[in-house]
Amino acid sequence: MAESNSSIPVRRPAPVVGTTLREHVLAGMHAAPGATGDFTSLLNHISLAIRIINTRVRAVGLADMLGYTGETNIQGEEVQKLDAFANEVLLNVLDRSGFCGVVGSEELDEAQIAETHAKYVVLFDPLDGSSNIDTNVGIGTIFAVLRRTEPKLSRPSLDDALRPGRQILAAGYVLYGPSTVFVLSTGHGAHAFTLDPSIGEFFLSQPDIRCPRRGTCFSVNEGYFSRWSPEVQAWARWVKAEKGAAAPPIASAEPFKVPYSSRYVGSLVADAHRTLIKGGIFAYPADTQHTGGKLRLLYEANPMAFLFEQAGGLATTGKDRILDIVPTALHQRTPLVLGSKDDVTAFQQFVDGSPT
Ligand code: P6P
């Protein structure tokens, strides 16, 4: 697949269920004039890394991969053996691809800057939700790809990575759940591929995912209720239809059905995937412990925001569009509210009272 030149109309064949991921990205390349095949090859390298990680995730209890390495990463989190393995696989495969000028990982203090004029930036969380590994709960890999602006005229630098998420070329996540599902967007819709482990191939299983305009489920860690702002607390009371809870001033033809159901796994990829497919809202707001939010902008919030917008959903800080944030640091954090248009808008009504 290649970056499509938005000024040239591209004819993309409608995705067909059963198509392999490889065929899907190739079709994108053929539909994009002037494609070099580099982007296609990069995505295929990412798919290879994911299939290697998946093999180890599926046997984590048998391959002495449970537990911790004894190290702590820049986030101040204990590094699980599987975190380190997934990180190493992605770094090695991307390095061998020769396409990455800059690589940023949740597990690396600093971005890796290539000596070449390679034209892509890849940012990833190699294994998100790893505190759930030992309890066999869904975990995932999240990544974003950007194209360096003038790859042949400049040497790679961190600035290539510190760009707003609206400039993302491709983003995806993999949920290692009952099946291994890879959700990918290259700017032409969001599509889910399911791994057939018997042949190690991803097959298109949910083309053109659309996040329902409104859902019936909210996903937030309510254990932190006392840490939230009064406005977020008011939203939390409303979604549960607590007595006397204020309703959002959202002008909506259809009244909201409250109380919502509550679902929270504590693994972003699992909570986000459910929200993308079923609708509703996921929120990790700022709180007194995480005054700038907990989730990382470049390799968690931005890829998720790109995918949700491609599927017709919204992704904000509770106030501002995630994809418009101009990053200032590789590991900066952000509040994240994503999901169905109406549900995210209702949240926003509580937080900033902005008119619809
Ligand atoms: P909490 C996992 O550690 C993670 O980074 C995300 O995957 C998840 O959404 C969030 O943190 C859970 O955080 O504070 O609710 O445990």
Side-chain angles (χ1 to χ4, degrees):
M1 182 164 290
E3 310 105 59
S4 63
N5 177 332
S6 56
S7 64
I8 302 171
V10 290
R11 183 195 65 77
R12 287 174 181 276
V16 175
V17 172
T19 305
T20 65
L21 175 61
R22 223 185 292 272
E23 290 163 342
H24 178 82
V25 295
L26 208 54
M29 184 187 89
H30 292 317
T36 62
D38 291 353
F39 189 49
T40 295
S41 183
L42 175 64
L43 291 178
N44 286 330
H45 277 84
I46 291 173
S47 167
L48 170 64
I50 284 164
R51 282 175 283 141
I52 296 169
I53 294 166
N54 174 72
T55 304
R56 190 59 63 91
V57 166
R58 295 300 171 198
V60 65
L62 307 173
D64 183 30
M65 290 298 282
L66 290 173
Y68 296 89
T69 60
E71 295 154 16
T72 304
N73 65 17
I74 190 171
Q75 324 292 343
E77 295 165 343
E78 289 184 296
V79 178
Q80 299 241 16
K81 292 177 186 173
L82 206 51
D83 285 320
F85 174 79
N87 189 51
E88 281 310 308
V89 167
L90 276 159
L91 292 175
N92 294 335
V93 169
L94 290 172
D95 180 49
R96 287 205 302 274
S97 78
F99 291 123
C100 299
V102 180
V103 173
S105 166
E106 183 200 46
E107 297 300 335
L108 293 182
D109 295 4
E110 307 295 333
Q112 289 192 339
I113 309 294
E115 294 299 311
T116 67
H117 285 267
K119 60 182 171 182
Y120 296 111
V121 175
V122 180
L123 305 162
F124 58 80
D125 180 353
L127 208 65
D128 176 72
S130 48
S131 57
N132 292 304
I133 291 171
D134 295 2
T135 54
N136 204 33
V137 169
I139 52 180
T141 299
I142 314 170
F143 70 91
V145 179
L146 297 99
R147 188 186 195 285
R148 294 182 56 229
T149 42
E150 289 298 340
K152 297 210 183 305
L153 304 179
S154 63
R155 302 304 296 262
S157 76
L158 180 59
D159 288 346
D160 290 310
L162 301 182
R163 288 149 57 196
R166 63 175 179 267
Q167 297 181 9
I168 282 174
L169 210 53
Y173 63 78
V174 181
L175 175 56
Y176 308 105
S179 59
T180 297
V181 174
F182 186 164
V183 177
L184 173 69
S185 176
T186 59
H188 302 277
H191 313 284
F193 299 82
T194 300
L195 182 68
D196 177 339
S198 66
I199 55 173
E201 192 70 76
F202 279 106
F203 287 89
L204 184 63
S205 46
Q206 285 178 280
D208 290 322
I209 298 170
R210 303 309 294 162
C211 184
R213 178 161 186 108
R214 185 180 296 189
T216 58
C217 183
F218 77 103
S219 184
V220 68
N221 187 335
E222 283 209 87
Y224 302 151
F225 182 89
S226 62
R227 299 177 183 172
W228 295 338
S229 68
E231 294 77 12
V232 173
Q233 290 177 340
W235 166 80
R237 290 192 182 95
W238 169 71
V239 290
K240 297 185 292 184
E242 283 184 16
K243 196 169 172 49
I250 183 171
S252 166
E254 184 192 342
F256 283 87
K257 295 185 183 68
V258 289
Y260 285 51
S261 296
S262 171
R263 294 284 185 279
Y264 191 76
V265 174
S267 176
L268 173 61
V269 176
D271 286 320
H273 187 64
R274 182 197 57 250
T275 306
L276 181 71
I277 302 299
K278 300 270 190 187
I281 184 170
F282 168 88
Y284 204 111
D287 62 40
T288 52
Q289 302 294 304
H290 301 98
T291 52
K294 174 186 181 184
L295 300 176
R296 291 79 170 181
L297 173 62
L298 291 188
Y299 40 81
E300 290 179 334
N302 269 346
M304 285 299 176
F306 184 80
L307 289 160
F308 269 78
E309 289 198 5
Q310 285 290 316
L314 288 180
T316 75
T317 61
K319 291 188 177 179
D320 305 312
R321 183 189 183 214
I322 290 288
L323 295 183
D324 286 338
I325 299 173
V326 180
T328 53
L330 181 63
H331 298 294
Q332 79 180 63
R333 300 172 190 262
T334 177
L336 177 63
V337 180
L338 51 71
S340 299
K341 270 202 172 92
D342 284 2
D343 300 311
V344 174
T345 301
F347 182 100
Q348 191 148 327
Q349 296 287 317
F350 279 96
V351 170
D352 72 1
S354 60
T356 45

